Amino acid sequence: MAKLKTLQPRLKAIDTRRIKPVYGEARRISGSTRMNLKRRIYVRDSGHCCMCQRVVDLHSSELDHRIALQFGGSNNEDNLWTLCIECHRDKSLREVASGQPDSEALKHHVPAEDIGASVTIV
Ligand SMILES: [Zn+2]
């Protein structure tokens, strides 16, 4: 009978400035799905940063979209790679500064897939 309606107003205190309405394919991946994916991509990338090639630890590396979602990149594994924290930070800064996909990142390629046929080459 009681519907706990009193809890609802608390959910409205969200800063929406950073939230972009992204749907379908371009949806951000989160939670355990993201952790599993990160691990899988990390293994595919042989534990290396895809830009500077340094050896990185799983926990000190970051799963990144080579072409960011806001620039039309996809969540396909051929657009996902492992970056070290420094490369990821610099790449993000350049993307913000230029407002377009990072030209440095585009000089590097996502390692060839060898863990199954789940990738769609476009
Ligand atoms: Zn790096």
Side-chain angles (χ1 to χ4, degrees):
M1 283 198 273
K3 288 188 179 173
L4 295 178
K5 280 189 175 174
T6 51
L7 288 179
Q8 285 179 7
R10 286 175 177 274
L11 296 175
K12 290 186 180 171
I14 293 176
D15 180 356
T16 54
R17 281 173 301 182
R18 292 184 49 138
I19 300 177
K20 294 188 177 192
V22 182
Y23 302 106
E25 265 297 291
R27 223 172 37 224
R28 280 199 173 272
I29 310 162
S30 61
S32 60
T33 305
R34 186 181 177 91
M35 271 316 295
N36 288 333
L37 187 61
K38 179 181 176 181
R39 191 173 294 117
R40 218 145 69 85
I41 298 294
Y42 176 86
V43 169
R44 183 201 67 189
D45 297 346
S46 311
H48 287 74
C49 170
C50 290
M51 286 184 70
C52 70
Q53 308 305 322
R54 87 168 76 164
V55 175
V56 288
D57 185 73
L58 177 63
H59 300 287
S60 62
S61 65
E62 293 178 350
L63 178 64
D64 180 56
H65 291 86
R66 179 168 174 264
I67 298 174
L69 294 179
Q70 64 261 41
F71 301 130
S74 76
N75 278 325
N76 289 344
E77 292 183 11
D78 59 358
N79 188 47
L80 292 169
W81 61 6
T82 303
L83 292 184
C84 69
I85 290 169
E86 287 78 9
C87 284
H88 189 213
R89 183 196 57 209
D90 293 349
K91 174 177 177 285
S92 299
L93 288 174
R94 287 192 300 265
E95 285 171 345
V96 169
S98 67
Q100 54 191 355
D102 180 39
S103 57
E104 274 306 306
L106 295 178
K107 292 176 187 171
H108 298 85
H109 296 279
V110 173
E113 176 72 39
D114 61 6
I115 44 173
S118 60
V119 170
T120 311
I121 307 294
V122 186

